[in-house]
Amino acid sequence: MDKTVSEADPDDYDGLLLPGGFINPDLLRQSAEAREFVRAFAASDKPIVTLCHGPWVLASAGLLNGRTLTSWPGIRDDLVNADATWLDEDVVRDGNLVTSRGPQDMTAFVPAMLDAFAKTSPEPRTTAPGRESDPQRTPRPGRRCDAVAAEAVSSHGRGGHRFGRCRPASPQIATAEEDRVLAGLNRPV
């Protein structure tokens, strides 16, 4: 799409792919025009496909009451508080809505997205009727989370942001990549 939300007409489109990541959904959900754009797709029962933090936009648009979906685990509580049922699964389909947890689930997400846009299979009301939300995740086994203080120094020499991190409970569990990531989290910004 090469138009802004205010220039685009939902009637000109057959489906909607809401971006994942953190920043884009956070900015979109703060836009009244974007929320109205998404509501138009829901009202016409067109496919809405999203992953990661994308369901934040659906919650802010008031579209999750009674729906079943998945997302990045960190926004589970936001979605449950918007009256959705949250499942910790790679892909969840609920009628015209297809959701996925994030990039780690692309091999399941892409075919589900294409199927929803092609409408090659019936749209089940939900892939999990009558289920309750899965519990909030805890750090994966072998990981220990604790808060790490890091000073973000401003031009005035003051700061005070706190960052959290998870690290292996024992050094044998960490991979070389985790070591590099964790080392980066310990650097002051």
Side-chain angles (χ1 to χ4, degrees), residues 1 3 5-16 36-46:
M1 186 161 119
K3 298 179 181 181
V5 173
S6 61
E7 298 169 334
D9 181 352
D11 291 335
D12 294 341
Y13 301 93
D14 296 323
L16 177 64
E36 193 55 42
F37 189 79
V38 173
R39 285 186 201 110
F41 282 86
S44 61
D45 208 34
K46 292 180 180 179

Side-chain angles (χ1 to χ4, degrees), residues 125-161:
R125 174 59 189 136
T126 180
T127 54
R131 279 188 59 184
E132 293 198 17
S133 292
D134 289 341
Q136 182 63 276
R137 282 185 170 185
T138 55
R140 68 179 191 198
R143 311 285 292 175
R144 184 180 83 216
C145 291
D146 47 32
V148 177
E151 285 292 316
V153 179
S154 71
S155 60
H156 303 297
R158 292 193 274 297
H161 299 282

Side-chain angles (χ1 to χ4, degrees), residues 16-20 38 47-59 63-64 67-73 75 79 84-114 116-117 124-128:
L16 177 64
L17 170 61
L18 286 169
V38 173
I48 300 173
V49 179
T50 188
L51 72 161
C52 197
H53 288 73
W56 260 347
V57 181
L58 303 172
L63 298 174
L64 295 184
R67 301 302 296 262
T68 302
L69 72 158
T70 192
S71 68
W72 188 257
I75 67 167
L79 305 179
T85 299
W86 185 87
L87 303 178
D88 190 4
E89 297 179 6
D90 54 358
V91 172
V92 174
R93 184 160 186 184
D94 183 352
N96 67 322
L97 179 62
V98 176
T99 55
S100 186
R101 292 177 298 201
Q104 73 276 16
D105 298 322
M106 280 297 175
T107 56
F109 176 67
V110 171
M113 173 186 63
L114 295 174
F117 288 149
R125 174 59 189 136
T126 180
T127 54

